[in-house]
Amino acid sequence: MTAPTTALFAECELTAAQFARIAHVLHEHAGIRMREGKEGLVRARLTKRLRKLGLNDFDSYLDYVEREPGRQEFAEMIDALTTNKTSFLREATHFDFLRDSVFPTLSGPVRIWSAGCSSGEEPYTLAMLCHEAFPDIATRDVRILATDISHRVLAQAKAGVYPAENMSDVPAPWIQKYWARKQDAGGRAVFDAEKNLRRHVTFAKLNLMERWPMQGPFDAILCRNVMIYFDKATQQQLVERYWGLLRPGGHLFVGHSESLTGLAHKFRYVQPAVYVK
């Protein structure tokens, strides 16, 4: 019996011109900045897409991406090249600030936008936090909008199912109160969000470079560890749009590795990665 060849699964050659073309497409249509030094990552992750489509080189792949109706393959390319690693209660100081300094000031409807929600840990954390903060939440109008450019991670978020190890930072009383323990088809322990948690969260696909269908005002916008993907001009555009969607006194949260330093904006600095309108 002949041993299977590995040539079929070998990575395609990626020239400097092809990498520049990929970087241009990503920036033009999604605002994502693909820096030099990422050639190996691009080659490895997109080779799988080429093989699945039966294509032999990156020029053919890019031709396909740019002419395909509906831009489904562009969405697949985004999924392949973006990292969507997050966790519940990530950067917990932000949630402490919401609980202690923002929520006590809200007397009416609550509106929060999780921009770049990835697989849903952030908006579900916000939903649990709201349940803890508002005793009248059963009758209160609390809405959390959760958006992301990746249809793959949005599908995971909508399913609301997570491995038990992903819940390690969630307080045990919250798990008992808001999540139902069950097992998936593989017998692994998971947690599934109950309806009283889900009903506050709406998931939607959104490319931050395209027209935003939502209207404000929001009490808080969380765009954390998202702007690092964008160049300064795109960051400037996003910050201006966030300003327009926040109510007076509303808060913008960015990632702890990000800041608005170097951008022209009207926000007032509150604490690391937290700004107020």
Side-chain angles (χ1 to χ4, degrees):
M1 183 175 179
T2 305
T5 178
T6 60
L8 181 63
F9 303 100
E11 292 181 3
C12 295
E13 179 185 1
L14 178 66
T15 67
Q18 290 167 339
F19 178 78
R21 188 178 171 192
I22 291 170
H24 174 74
V25 169
L26 288 170
H27 184 264
E28 181 180 16
H29 297 293
I32 295 174
R33 175 181 49 184
M34 186 59 66
R35 298 183 179 89
E36 292 183 1
K38 297 293 186 179
E39 291 87 349
L41 178 146
V42 170
R43 183 172 57 248
R45 295 189 179 181
L46 291 187
T47 291
K48 297 177 182 179
R49 296 302 308 163
L50 268 69
R51 298 313 186 202
K52 186 169 184 178
L53 295 169
L55 301 173
N56 295 318
D57 59 76
F58 281 102
D59 282 323
S60 298
Y61 177 70
L62 284 164
D63 289 342
Y64 179 81
V65 169
E66 293 182 327
R67 71 170 182 264
E68 181 204 19
R71 303 192 63 78
Q72 179 59 37
E73 185 54 38
F74 177 71
E76 295 288 350
M77 182 168 70
I78 291 292
D79 280 357
L81 294 178
T82 53
T83 302
N84 289 286
K85 292 185 177 180
T86 186
S87 60
F88 288 93
L89 288 168
R90 183 181 184 182
E91 298 182 349
T93 56
H94 284 168
F95 298 108
D96 291 340
F97 185 86
L98 280 166
R99 180 196 63 205
D100 299 336
S101 302
V102 177
F103 287 172
T105 70
L106 305 180
S107 57
V110 178
R111 298 289 185 271
I112 304 174
W113 178 17
S114 170
C117 68
S118 190
S119 48
E121 286 89 341
E122 180 175 277
Y124 284 135
T125 298
L126 289 166
M128 288 186 283
L129 194 69
C130 287
H131 271 265
E132 293 296 307
F134 304 123
D136 60 344
I137 196 165
T139 57
R140 192 166 187 170
D141 185 5
V142 176
R143 303 184 197 180
I144 300 163
L145 174 65
T147 65
D148 202 277
I149 194 174
S150 169
H151 66 87
R152 174 177 53 85
V153 296
L154 281 175
Q156 295 174 4
K158 291 176 182 177
V161 177
Y162 302 92
E165 56 267 25
N166 286 15
M167 308 290 291
S168 58
D169 292 331
V170 180
W174 287 21
I175 293 175
Q176 296 297 323
K177 189 174 182 179
Y178 303 119
W179 299 74
R181 184 182 295 269
K182 70 176 202 177
Q183 290 186 334
D184 64 10
R188 295 168 296 184
V190 299
F191 294 92
D192 192 337
E194 294 180 340
K195 291 182 180 178
N196 66 341
L197 197 63
R198 291 176 185 269
R199 70 184 180 89
H200 300 291
V201 184
T202 299
F203 291 101
K205 187 175 184 296
L206 179 67
N207 181 340
L208 290 174
M209 288 294 291
E210 297 176 350
R211 182 176 178 275
W212 296 356
M214 76 283 292
Q215 296 181 348
F218 289 97
D219 299 298
I221 296 175
L222 286 78
C223 184
R224 307 189 303 167
N225 307 303
V226 174
M227 292 203 298
I228 55 174
Y229 288 105
F230 302 134
D231 60 19
K232 185 175 180 179
T234 304
Q235 292 175 358
Q236 183 72 61
Q237 179 184 353
L238 291 175
V239 168
E240 291 173 0
R241 297 174 84 177
Y242 293 143
W243 175 271
L245 285 172
L246 279 166
R247 65 168 176 80
H251 288 78
L252 173 65
F253 298 80
V254 298
H256 281 297
S257 60
E258 303 166 321
S259 78
L260 303 190
T261 301
L263 300 177
H265 65 87
K266 303 175 185 177
F267 283 101
R268 178 171 61 84
Y269 173 87
V270 179
Q271 65 180 48
V274 180
Y275 300 84
V276 65
K277 177 175 177 178

